[in-house]
Amino acid sequence: MSEELDNLEKQIEEKISNTSNLNDLNSIRVEVFGKKGLITNHLKSLSTLSEEERKEKGKKINNIKDKINVLLIQKNKILNETEISQKLQKEKVDITLSSRPFNQGKINPITQTIAEVTKIFQKMGFETALGPDIEDDYHNFTALNIPEEHPARQLHDTFYLKGDNKKLLRTHTSPVQIRTLEKRKPPLKIIAPGRTYRADSDTTHTPMFHQIEGLFLDKDVNMSHLKGCIMDFCREFFEINDLPVRFRPSFFPFTEPSAEIDIGCFKDNKQIKIGNGGSWLEIMGCGMVHKEVLNYCKVDHKKFQGFAFGMGVERLAMLKYGISDLRSFFNSDIKWLNNFGFSIFENIEKI
Ligand code: DAH
């Protein structure tokens, strides 16, 4: 009897020592201590014995049970540790591998153009100013000398917001002139890029587009300063030293006198090219800031004068980068962006 139990103990100990994974170890546990397990059966058989035998065999079995339990716990710990270290080994990341540049994203030509224009004016001492996309009637129109019944209000195809406080989506970046002058006193030189909105949608208009506004106020500023500033800008932006720039008289309510600026161009193989070629292309509006606008902003027009200008970003980008369809800027077409977009790495020094 005792020999049989000794043999069983040995057998189980051997099995435990030979297992190399947690699953097998668990099977051994069931085989030994399960409902019909080897040890369980011996425990059950105790009831058939005399009291004397039962005491002796019971003690022996419990002894074996304790020993095997300890062995199972120890083996479980060892196998767990090897399993974890094997897993770590498998999932090891080689941090010494050299990195690859992640350059899948591209800069939209609109963003690129705004950065290029801003950079040129920055070199001339202009600071960047921003204003809200949701404007009110006063800043978008009234303070820019566009009164209630002025036809220019109809021309702007304004998106009005619901409610009776006449909130609207700004139709141009000119209100940033007013917002800046409410906060700061001249002299100042600002450039204000941003989104603008008009209820207009066809091949040459999108309801949302971008403008860049400029404002320069100081003592004794005159039209020749405006001409010099804009000519320098056009030539640097289009990278053409002898680019013809023409000032053509025009009308804007917020400037007097006002002008539209044309740059030289020509047709090459049905494509419009910028440069000295006998034709003209309009690229922006400008003028000397109107006395009424200065009055609205509480600036003494006898002391300070200045000029303002405004340009459409999409048009500049199309002309400089040969983009023919205005709507392609906003289609989020990855193929188009890969072709016309800019890599942040290539252009870092430009922006
Ligand atoms: N705000 C004008 C527009 O949207 C553009 C413009 C013209 C701005 C002349 C100016 C300016 O500051 O002087 O068409």
Side-chain angles (χ1 to χ4, degrees):
M1 163 74 81
S2 164
E3 212 176 300
E4 190 194 339
L5 282 175
D6 286 342
N7 279 340
L8 181 64
E9 184 189 341
K10 251 198 205 137
Q11 223 182 37
I12 298 172
E13 276 175 12
E14 232 165 76
K15 268 194 176 180
I16 294 176
S17 123
N18 288 338
T19 24
S20 58
N21 71 63
L22 283 167
N23 264 346
D24 290 351
L25 189 69
N26 213 27
S27 306
I28 296 172
R29 187 195 314 278
V30 175
E31 197 186 327
V32 177
F33 294 122
K35 255 188 185 171
K36 287 179 182 161
L38 297 166
I39 296 291
T40 320
N41 282 344
H42 276 286
L43 281 170
K44 276 185 196 161
S45 69
L46 287 178
S47 57
T48 59
L49 303 178
S50 67
E51 202 181 330
E52 196 69 1
E53 285 173 317
R54 197 185 316 148
K55 250 192 184 169
E56 202 188 321
K57 194 179 174 188
K59 204 171 164 194
K60 178 116 189 149
I61 295 178
N62 272 331
N63 238 336
I64 295 176
K65 204 177 139 187
D66 289 347
K67 272 204 224 161
I68 289 180
N69 253 331
V70 170
L71 284 180
L72 281 172
I73 291 170
Q74 282 173 348
K75 187 75 183 191
N76 190 297
K77 192 169 172 245
I78 294 170
L79 289 180
N80 247 325
E81 279 166 4
T82 30
E83 205 159 272
I84 289 173
S85 72
Q86 274 169 358
K87 212 174 164 195
L88 282 175
Q89 192 65 28
K90 229 165 88 190
E91 292 171 5
K92 198 168 149 188
V93 176
D94 184 357
I95 55 163
T96 62
L97 268 180
S98 59
S99 60
R100 279 173 292 130
F102 181 74
N103 60 356
Q104 278 182 343
K106 290 274 179 153
I107 306 276
N108 190 296
I110 298 285
T111 313
Q112 174 80 14
T113 304
I114 290 177
E116 288 177 16
V117 173
T118 311
K119 178 88 185 268
I120 296 170
F121 281 104
Q122 229 171 41
K123 284 195 281 182
M124 299 186 206
F126 285 77
E127 295 168 62
T128 300
L130 298 173
D133 286 22
I134 296 177
E135 261 302 356
D136 52 41
D137 195 80
Y138 174 79
H139 291 89
N140 196 78
F141 294 123
T142 313
L144 285 161
N145 196 32
I146 313 174
E148 200 82 34
E149 298 311 322
H150 198 285
R153 288 205 185 197
Q154 272 73 57
L155 286 178
H156 277 215
D157 293 316
T158 313
F159 282 116
Y160 283 96
L161 272 63
K162 280 189 181 147
D164 48 18
N165 55 0
K166 278 208 172 164
K167 286 270 191 227
L168 49 88
L169 295 180
R170 66 177 176 193
T171 57
H172 50 176
T173 41
S174 303
V176 185
Q177 292 187 32
I178 311 298
R179 295 231 168 240
T180 307
L181 285 173
E182 283 173 348
K183 282 185 285 193
R184 294 175 51 181
K185 296 259 163 288
L188 52 80
K189 268 177 166 175
I190 55 142
I191 196 93
R195 292 190 175 133
T196 46
Y197 308 83
R198 291 186 199 179
D200 216 350
S201 185
D202 56 39
T203 46
T204 54
H205 298 90
T206 48
M208 189 279 293
F209 55 104
H210 298 77
Q211 285 191 343
I212 299 176
E213 191 79 14
L215 174 69
F216 176 22
L217 286 184
D218 207 333
K219 289 175 183 154
D220 305 319
V221 179
N222 61 47
M223 199 86 183
S224 64
H225 297 116
L226 166 62
K227 281 187 88 170
C229 172
I230 297 300
M231 274 169 72
D232 279 357
F233 162 73
C234 293
R235 289 176 176 171
E236 186 161 350
F237 178 76
F238 288 105
E239 296 166 13
I240 303 173
N241 286 337
D242 62 346
L243 178 68
V245 180
R246 174 171 88 171
F247 287 71
R248 186 168 31 79
S250 183
F251 172 80
F252 298 103
F254 30 89
T255 42
E256 179 58 35
S258 304
E260 270 168 321
I261 298 160
D262 301 332
I263 53 170
C265 69
F266 56 95
K267 262 203 175 152
D268 179 32
N269 226 342
K270 285 189 185 162
Q271 253 213 326
I272 294 181
K273 291 260 166 77
I274 304 298
N276 196 347
S279 299
W280 295 100
L281 249 178
E282 186 224 311
I283 58 156
M284 64 172 107
C286 66
M288 301 305 292
V289 180
H290 200 290
K291 205 169 76 179
E292 278 307 317
V293 175
L294 295 177
N295 282 343
Y296 274 112
C297 299
K298 301 192 172 59
V299 174
D300 182 354
H301 69 266
K302 290 209 180 88
K303 231 166 136 187
F304 291 103
Q305 308 82 38
F307 61 78
F309 54 88
M311 57 191 113
V313 179
E314 282 76 2
R315 189 165 168 79
L316 289 180
M318 287 168 87
L319 292 172
K320 183 163 177 179
Y321 295 113
I323 297 165
S324 55
D325 184 354
L326 169 71
R327 287 174 291 196
S328 55
F329 286 117
F330 310 115
N331 281 344
S332 300
D333 176 349
I334 291 289
K335 269 195 206 147
W336 182 88
L337 254 181
N338 277 338
N339 197 17
F340 286 103
F342 291 82
S343 151
I344 188 110
F345 299 114
E346 278 165 35
N347 284 281
I348 210 113
E349 79 288 349
K350 261 191 178 170
I351 327 188

